[in-house]
Amino acid sequence: MDGEGFWVQAPFYMECRFTAQSVPGAWPAFWTITRLDRGTNGDELDIVEAYGGVDKGNPNHPGYSLVSHFWGQKNPDGTKKREYDRVVPITELGGKSYWSHTFHTYGLYVDEKETVYYFDDIEVMRHPTNDESLNPHIFLINYAIGGISGWPIDVERYGNGSDMYVDFVRVFAEKKIDYSQPPME
């Protein structure tokens, strides 16, 4: 979360193809943020949040989650901005296989009007683009174990390790990609 990498501004499309082990407590994700300090009114667009493990006390997730977070942002009337989320039932789409069984491609398109999420080239969610999402985004790929979820962690039966395999990441942007860290407010 140090801003190393590159920043891209709408309109853009990005995608990541990966698979990971579904061990109790695992949390593979591909996401973007517009501010490095998530508490400063930035957008976080979770393209995929998958939750591993099928066991008592684990999420036993039927697919993966998409979530748009508009951190600390309010509507003109002072109410909290509406965030969007969806559980994607991936075993009912395309090749009908779970995120840990084979590689899948997770994509995000952001333009001035709409934000669209894709699973294996199938549109799975769409919402109006938030004003903050017009600012530069940086993407992150991570494979957390435990963390803020609070779910039990049990990787002992896997040799106290677990793997995530990223096949590729692609980013397409209409505007020039910025390899420097944008100024923070």
Side-chain angles (χ1 to χ4, degrees):
M1 298 281 293
D2 62 2
E4 294 270 333
F6 60 87
W7 296 78
V8 63
Q9 194 164 356
F12 69 84
Y13 173 78
M14 62 178 58
E15 63 184 10
C16 179
R17 185 173 188 260
F18 73 84
T19 188
Q21 287 179 279
S22 179
V23 300
W27 188 355
F30 175 49
W31 48 298
T32 74
I33 56 173
T34 59
R35 312 273 177 147
L36 292 178
D37 178 0
R38 292 189 295 180
T40 59
N41 302 327
D43 283 4
E44 174 184 327
L45 304 178
D46 297 326
I47 305 160
V48 52
E49 283 190 342
Y51 308 114
V54 178
D55 201 358
K56 185 178 179 183
N58 282 284
N60 299 318
H61 210 277
Y64 72 92
S65 290
L66 301 172
V67 185
S68 61
H69 298 285
F70 305 135
W71 297 111
Q73 299 171 56
K74 306 253 183 233
N75 294 310
D77 66 0
T79 59
K80 185 178 188 274
K81 280 208 171 192
R82 177 181 176 205
E83 298 180 334
Y84 300 87
D85 62 84
R86 177 170 185 219
V87 172
V88 179
I90 61 178
T91 58
E92 299 171 18
L93 299 173
K96 300 181 177 11
S97 62
Y98 202 60
W99 59 264
S100 63
H101 294 166
T102 191
F103 283 92
H104 291 288
T105 303
Y106 306 90
L108 174 72
Y109 175 72
V110 178
D111 73 11
E112 291 83 4
K113 295 183 180 187
E114 295 186 300
T115 298
V116 187
Y117 301 76
Y118 297 92
F119 168 75
D120 287 344
D121 298 323
I122 300 167
E123 181 179 321
V124 291
M125 187 168 84
R126 176 184 296 252
H127 62 76
T129 296
N130 190 40
D131 290 342
E132 173 66 22
S133 278
L134 298 177
N135 291 320
H137 291 248
I138 191 167
F139 72 85
L140 300 95
I141 303 167
N142 65 280
Y143 186 50
I145 303 289
I148 63 171
S149 70
W151 296 312
I153 301 168
D154 181 9
V155 293
E156 186 173 339
R157 61 186 166 187
Y158 304 99
N160 287 317
S162 183
D163 296 303
M164 176 180 189
Y165 300 96
V166 177
D167 186 30
F168 62 76
V169 177
R170 296 180 179 134
V171 179
F172 303 90
E174 186 174 300
K175 298 176 184 171
K176 183 180 177 194
I177 293 175
D178 186 359
Y179 291 90
S180 64
Q181 199 175 43
M184 303 309 291
E185 295 177 6

